[in-house]
Amino acid sequence: DAVGTVVTEQNGRKEIDIKRYAKVEKIPGGELEDSRVLKGVMLQKDVVHAQMARKIENPRILLLDCGLEYKKGESQTNVEFTKDSDFTRMLQLEEEHVKGLCADIIKWKPDLVFTEKGVSDLAQHFFVKA
C-alpha cells in the first residue's frame, strides 16, 4: 500500500521516489503494527480550547499568515492613564479589534483556522461562541 502511494509512471516507466512523494513521521508511543499510510496531509496541532472539536471530516480550512491578537507597538510603547475610564477604554478598543478580526474570519465559516502566530484567549472565546 505504501509503495503504491508513491509510485509514478512516466513514458511507460514506473518510478518510486519516496523522498519526493512521502514523509515518514515518527510519533512517540505505540507499536510498529500501529503504523498507517495516510493519503493526503497530516497535521499534528494542539486544540487551543477544550470545547473545540477533536476530529473533523472534510473540513473547510483557513490559513492565516498573522496572529489573532491585538497588535502591540513594534517598539516599546508607554501609555499613561489619568483616569480608570482611560484604561477601561483601551481594553474595550483591544476587544473590539479582536472581535472584528474574528467576525471577518467567521463569515467564511471555516472549520479550522491555522495561524502563523498566536491566538489570544479572547479570539478563542469568539470562535467557540460562533
Side-chain angles (χ1 to χ4, degrees), residues 41-128:
V41 178
M42 184 189 104
L43 299 167
Q44 185 175 356
K45 288 291 202 178
D46 295 328
V47 177
V48 295
H49 196 281
Q51 293 179 356
M52 291 181 175
R54 300 275 191 256
K55 184 175 182 179
I56 302 170
E57 299 279 335
N58 299 316
R60 289 173 48 104
I61 300 172
L62 182 65
L63 303 173
L64 299 174
D65 64 351
C66 61
L68 290 174
E69 50 200 351
Y70 186 74
K71 182 144 172 68
K72 307 274 193 272
E74 289 295 323
S75 60
Q76 188 174 5
T77 305
N78 291 324
V79 178
E80 189 172 314
F81 300 110
T82 55
K83 300 180 278 186
D84 288 341
S85 60
D86 293 343
F87 181 71
T88 304
R89 179 64 183 144
M90 185 167 177
L91 289 177
Q92 184 181 12
L93 288 171
E94 286 186 23
E95 183 175 334
E96 288 172 7
H97 175 75
V98 172
K99 188 175 188 175
L101 287 173
C102 292
D104 289 342
I105 292 168
I106 291 168
K107 73 181 176 188
W108 292 100
K109 299 178 181 157
D111 297 308
L112 287 171
V113 178
F114 289 98
T115 64
E116 183 178 351
K117 307 257 183 195
V119 178
S120 71
D121 291 342
L122 189 58
Q124 293 174 36
H125 169 74
F126 290 129
F127 286 136
V128 168

